[in-house]
Amino acid sequence: MKFAHICGVAAGCLFLSACISNKSTQEINTKSTDYVTVANPNGGPTLGYAKNSGLQVLNVKEGNDTYFFKDMNGNGKLDVWEDWRKSAGERAEALSKELTIDEIAGLMLFSSHERNPEAGLTDAQKKYLKEDNLRNVLNAGSNNVEALVSWNNAMQAYVEGFLKDGHKVIPVNFSSDPRSTAGSDAQYNAGGEDISRWPSNLGIAATFDPEIMRTFARTAAEEYRGMGIATALGPQIELATDPRWLRFDGTFGENTQLAVDMAEAYVDGSQSTYINGQDTGWGVRSINAMIKHFPGDGMGESGRESHLEGGKYAVYPSNNFQEHLKPFIDGGLNLKGKTKQAASMMLSYSVAIGADGNPLFGLNRGSAYDQAKIDILRKDNQYEGVLCTDWGVTVAMNDPAQPSFGMAWGAENLSVEERHYAILLAGMDMFGGNNDKKPILAAYDMWVKNFGEASAQERFQLSGKRLLTMLFNVGLFENPYLNLHESKASVGSQDKRDAGYQAQLASIVMLKNKNSVIRAGLLDSYKDKVAYIPSSIHHNFPTVWDPAVDTADPTLNIETAKGYFKEVLTDTQVKDAVGTVTGFTAPDLSHVDLIIVGMQSPDSGGVFSSAGFVKDESTFYPLSLQYRPYTASSAGVRQTSLSGDILDDGSKQNRSYYHKTSWISNEYDLDAFLNAKKAAAAIEANTGKHIPVLVALKAKNPVIVGEFEAQADAIVTGFSVDDAAYFDILLGKTEPKGLLPMQFPKDMITVEANQEDVGQDLTPYTDEMGNVYDFGYGLNYSGVISDARTAKYK
């Protein structure tokens, strides 16, 4: 292209002088920020910049067309990295060579959780944006579109203002953990109803339909961009090969090929911009996918989770490490070239232990420190995307500041600066949860000391290029600003809500349907009938942040249920002298027509509740998939654990829980069911009236249903869906078609015999109807579903 002329235009000028047509520009006034947009001809990107930032627009004339570019370093000329006609990689490489080490260090930071966007741009945020050059911000706030648009625009304008001080304009890359999940039981989610709601990853896997995953990814990406989010921290694509694992519900289950297909669909859908139904590649509706947690974390010993000390070891008793790579290599990296490669990956916390009890690669450290793991990506598969640590891996419990938790597994004896250096040396690019660039600069000095300044500069520029590519991918350098009207029209639009709800319905699995109690046409007949929904008590676990708080509520949403029945009954709480709910009094059930019991998976605790580990006693207890107390005494229980710390005397810690008993917070869910069933049976014995008892099982992982299945007339299970979806299935409004994306085990004996690193190695449960709750099982009105969806996964 031949440049006819280039001219600068003051950003505050609405008409942008004669260089820009009035028709090309628009001034947008918002609550927090006034900004200007400039439209390029012939499908070129729209530029956006703050009205008072001082930024200049460069004008390039070609033939009869004039193209516009932002002068983001204020030098009055069009640099390679400012030229949107160049590829993201070209631009990122050019800019990385212009950045100072301080600026690259800032790009390596990924902020701690920002939970209150409603507060706007805070002094603390201004500090890390200006003093630490941080540009990657984790949005952990609610789905409040108006607040998020205002916060995004204010932050982007703030960093753009640094141009006046001679700095380059590098926009802010907002990211988010999952925030679209429907169920209130979702482990990671964001409040607020401005967004469409979908099943969890496990629920989408239960559809056995990668196109539903692709549709979700496209939809979520558009909604994220409408809220200023350009990078998704997810999905979890690791194999959940231990049924007790506390993060099972964030994955696609335990089947390798299903996880591969779902991962590929998610990455492709997220990183594409669709115009009129056509994939146009990276664009303004795309987000960067940060798939996690390489090389997999679903094989924590005995199901414990690596966020806290009790679960820091992942074990491979069957030496099945290579199987766990497949979702990442085949699905995320997409080496077959059919779809886009994931822009980034997050690594796991855990230390990998082999069948012999020794570190799998000889290094007794977590994944972010383990170069052998990282070399699988960098050297074996030539992956040049961003590698990010999970949050907190440069913090240890024995640090002088005495943090509430820290995950520097195996690197506790290093200083904070040495941890940053070791992580960079291993091949990583970003530090999750870190707002301070000083340890990174200290790591740079260590690199200079050991390898020379040229090597250190080259290493930092390499990470800089990778990190900048993510920002260029999604067009943030052209226009990081949001139009509130457009965002509100896009986020949570009715078509997206409808699609999400249809996915919820498609994900629900009918496990049992005795005497066809669930069938088409029931919905209207129940409008004049009475339903009873019992209540339950959950004795919740304390976490590293919060004390234990018990809850006592109906097992399904009563207000939702009222939309389906003439009358809905529930229990009356019974309290002790200090107001603690100790039980319930059931209403008179003689005129009840149907009982529906909501039951959640047996809850052993969450990722921040030290589940399976009693820290004060340094003892372990089993995670259980049954409601009643379980004592681990079967032959399959390891009396000597594979993993364990090396103690001061040189011996190895034994993490066995042999003969110990489980703790379940929601055992009362089973009581609620049994009490309801007992009352229904008494009415039937006295009057001959049969009251069907149905179960809506809200599953997060495999459940041992043998404690109640034989007494239930029907059981449906879902994975973080709205209660309305359960009612639509239970009352015959929608025929179920979901399939189990994992096995439901017969008992805890088969769970203990399971090898943590091997999927589908349980003895499945067989119910009173003779149906086997194996991977791929599900019922519709005709019986066991047998269709083409499962063929490639068995």
Side-chain angles (χ1 to χ4, degrees), residues 416-417 420-421 434 436-444 446:
V416 172
E417 293 78 10
H420 283 75
Y421 174 66
N434 293 15
D436 184 359
K437 71 180 179 183
K438 289 191 290 293
I440 300 178
L441 296 177
Y444 179 83
M446 293 178 195

Side-chain angles (χ1 to χ4, degrees), residues 245-357:
W245 187 43
L246 296 172
R247 297 191 72 178
F248 200 110
D249 62 324
T251 75
F252 302 128
E254 58 183 329
N255 181 275
T256 303
Q257 190 58 51
L258 184 58
V260 167
D261 289 353
M262 290 292 177
E264 184 181 69
Y266 180 94
V267 171
D268 186 47
S270 296
Q271 298 186 167
S272 299
T273 288
Y274 285 79
I275 306 294
N276 297 324
Q278 298 297 313
D279 181 1
T280 60
W282 286 105
V284 295
R285 298 179 186 173
S286 305
I287 58 173
N288 298 291
M290 184 176 282
I291 55 178
K292 58 187 184 183
H293 305 85
F294 182 84
D297 219 14
M299 68 303 294
E301 187 163 24
S302 304
R304 295 188 295 268
E305 215 289 314
S306 58
H307 271 80
L308 296 178
E309 183 179 2
K312 63 184 176 182
Y313 293 105
V315 296
Y316 296 86
S318 293
N319 289 319
N320 202 30
F321 179 81
Q322 293 297 322
E323 190 73 14
H324 288 264
L325 297 179
K326 291 179 181 178
F328 295 92
I329 305 303
D330 297 344
L333 297 193
N334 182 34
L335 297 183
K336 297 177 182 178
K338 292 189 295 183
T339 54
K340 296 180 184 66
Q341 188 173 92
S344 54
M345 287 195 197
M346 185 186 296
L347 269 69
S348 68
Y349 287 124
S350 52
V351 181
I353 302 296
D356 60 0

Side-chain angles (χ1 to χ4, degrees), residues 49 278 376 470 568:
Y49 54 92
Q278 298 297 313
I376 294 169
M470 292 177 65
V568 179

Side-chain angles (χ1 to χ4, degrees), residues 41 55 124 132 179 207 248 254 331 410 566 583 656 659 723 731 736 765 772:
L55 186 141
D132 294 286
R179 56 177 53 235
T207 69
F248 200 110
E254 58 183 329
K566 179 180 73 175
S656 173
H659 282 323
D723 284 359
L731 301 181
Y765 180 78
V772 181

